[in-house]
Amino acid sequence: MSIVIKSNYEYYEKLEVNLTNKFQSDSVLIGINLEEAKIIFASENYYDLFGYDIFNNDIENVFSQRSIKKISNFSYNFKPYNIKSRILANLEIFLKNYLVNVPSFMFFSGATLCVEFQINFDKINYYFDEINYQQILHYLTESKDSINILSSNLCKYISELTGFERTYFCEFLQNNNGVIKANYFSNGLESILNHYYPATILPDSVRELYVKNTFRIINNVDYIPTPIKGCSSKIDLTYSVFRDVSSIHLDYLRNMSLKSAISFSIVIDGKLKGLIGGHSRNKNYTPIEILPKIQTLVDVISIKIKQLRNNIIKKVQVEYKSTIDDFVFSYEKSQCNFEKMPNKSFEILKEIFNSHLLFYRFNNKTETNSMIPDEFVEELLKKLKEYKIRKIYVFDRLVTFNPIFYKWSKSIGAGVLVINLSNDLSNFIVLIRKEECQTIKWNTNPDELDLFSDEEKILKSRKSFNTWLQDVRHKCKQWTMKDYETALQLHNQLILSRSNFLNHVQMNKEVKFYEIIN
């Protein structure tokens, strides 16, 4: 039996998990052609629920006239080329000759209107306390408590509201690693407070989905994927709550003896900055109309985090304004050419960022001092090119990318902050920090790869959330939000200075050309 070694990061970056032709069996998906008013695809489990064939049927045979009006209004007000999300609506659906009011989500997949809902929609035994909800909303909005205290109280509320036995707040750091800042746990599930999660668990492709689709639920990890009848190829279910989930993620949950999971995105300025999630050892059929209400509460936390970030930015602007201005002035005086700048200007940056070493790249030429090996620079540049272009890159532990960095951790540096000034990595500044030994709690060994069997397709890592204590070497002191915001401010000022310089050069050329021809 051959064994293929992959990482979650490599697997997910190449996998378009939003494209599928399968659905969770505890829910139903219906695709509607609005022009013909017909159902053009449906998850195959619909027959057990409806008792008749709805595929290729007129929608008036499935939905009441009042609900068809709702569907028409939705499609009229939110054209496929405008809608970037979904809405919740109560639709009257004919089920085995009975007209039943079913909470449903509506969203577009291309030009097709999709309707999805839970099969288990009996709400007789579920009570939602609107007064209590408004109280927690008011508390989160008006309280001056810290983010950790606010999120801790929100986790407790979500667990009590939904029945998920462990609810947690995971914040993403500047290097995209996650850390659990708050959690609530019961029924034997252990605390995961202060546990760290490697960034590789959630690559960029998956993070982008979490930004678009801000809440998801898996009612039962042991569901049988249901084919979507009428789909000759995979369809885009980016905004679906119940689309089929990657088998890797389901195995990950099963390995921890979990039966259900839920997640809500913390999105700030279009970027995923954290998650509030839930785990349960039991199947969980939280009514879907509760999910948008919880997301509203999570959005308040997002606003609070953004306010905290803005306060840090203001502090940075005050604390480092003169030193950053000095560096930018030197940059402008040197005609935006790093090679012409005095060394003392770069010493300013090393002090601001508490870095041991620094080097820069200007017009594809790398300039370093003799202490930084060319091989170190080449390996770092090779790694940067694997990522999408960013303004700022932050890495605390370079050895996770390539074991070759082990030999440089003490003498050169274990982590870097890169201020990128071009779209092709031809111009950037690299600040380097040396190794600083420390102990970190992880949910698993962050260096451990996932092993897959070609024949069995079994995930063989990350068995539980049990604390894995790592006496960390080859890791620098963590780059903070303050470091990141300072770097971003410097980046923006350097870009502006260079743009002004290039415009000035171009204007001078045009003036000289005008003088010559006249």
Side-chain angles (χ1 to χ4, degrees), residues 329-340:
F329 177 74
S330 176
Y331 180 68
E332 292 172 345
K333 189 177 179 181
S334 303
Q335 297 180 315
C336 300
N337 184 339
F338 290 147
E339 295 175 321
K340 295 181 180 180

Side-chain angles (χ1 to χ4, degrees), residues 328-429:
V328 173
F329 177 74
S330 176
Y331 180 68
E332 292 172 345
K333 189 177 179 181
S334 303
Q335 297 180 315
C336 300
N337 184 339
F338 290 147
E339 295 175 321
K340 295 181 180 180
M341 294 177 63
N343 288 334
K344 66 178 182 179
S345 295
F346 292 102
E347 292 298 320
I348 293 175
L349 293 191
K350 289 169 62 177
E351 291 179 10
I352 291 175
F353 291 98
N354 190 25
S355 63
H356 300 88
L357 294 172
L358 174 152
F359 72 88
Y360 60 79
R361 187 171 175 84
F362 180 73
N363 289 345
N364 284 316
K365 179 183 176 183
T366 302
E367 183 70 21
T368 72
N369 58 47
S370 58
M371 293 185 64
I372 304 176
D374 291 340
E375 190 180 9
F376 179 95
V377 176
E378 291 169 2
E379 290 296 332
L380 178 60
L381 182 59
K382 187 187 303 182
K383 189 61 193 177
L384 292 178
K385 289 180 177 179
E386 295 178 9
Y387 285 80
K388 294 179 181 178
I389 292 296
R390 300 175 182 174
K391 295 179 180 179
I392 310 295
Y393 301 81
V394 180
F395 305 115
D396 293 339
R397 200 164 185 256
L398 292 172
V399 295
T400 58
F401 304 136
N402 190 330
I404 196 171
F405 286 103
Y406 276 111
K407 63 182 180 181
W408 296 310
S409 294
K410 288 185 177 180
S411 59
I412 305 301
V416 297
L417 183 150
V418 182
I419 303 173
N420 181 33
L421 301 171
S422 62
N423 291 324
D424 57 359
L425 290 173
S426 59
N427 296 274
F428 57 72
I429 300 171

Side-chain angles (χ1 to χ4, degrees), residues 12-13 17 201-211 272:
Y12 273 121
E13 280 295 355
V17 294
I201 287 181
L202 213 61
D204 288 342
S205 59
V206 180
R207 291 173 192 269
E208 290 172 3
L209 280 178
Y210 275 101
V211 170
L272 186 68

Side-chain angles (χ1 to χ4, degrees), residues 310-341:
N310 289 339
N311 291 337
I312 291 175
I313 293 174
K314 291 177 182 177
K315 185 176 180 180
V316 165
Q317 290 171 341
V318 172
E319 186 173 350
Y320 294 123
K321 184 181 187 307
S322 60
T323 49
I324 288 178
D325 286 348
D326 287 344
F327 184 86
V328 173
F329 177 74
S330 176
Y331 180 68
E332 292 172 345
K333 189 177 179 181
S334 303
Q335 297 180 315
C336 300
N337 184 339
F338 290 147
E339 295 175 321
K340 295 181 180 180
M341 294 177 63

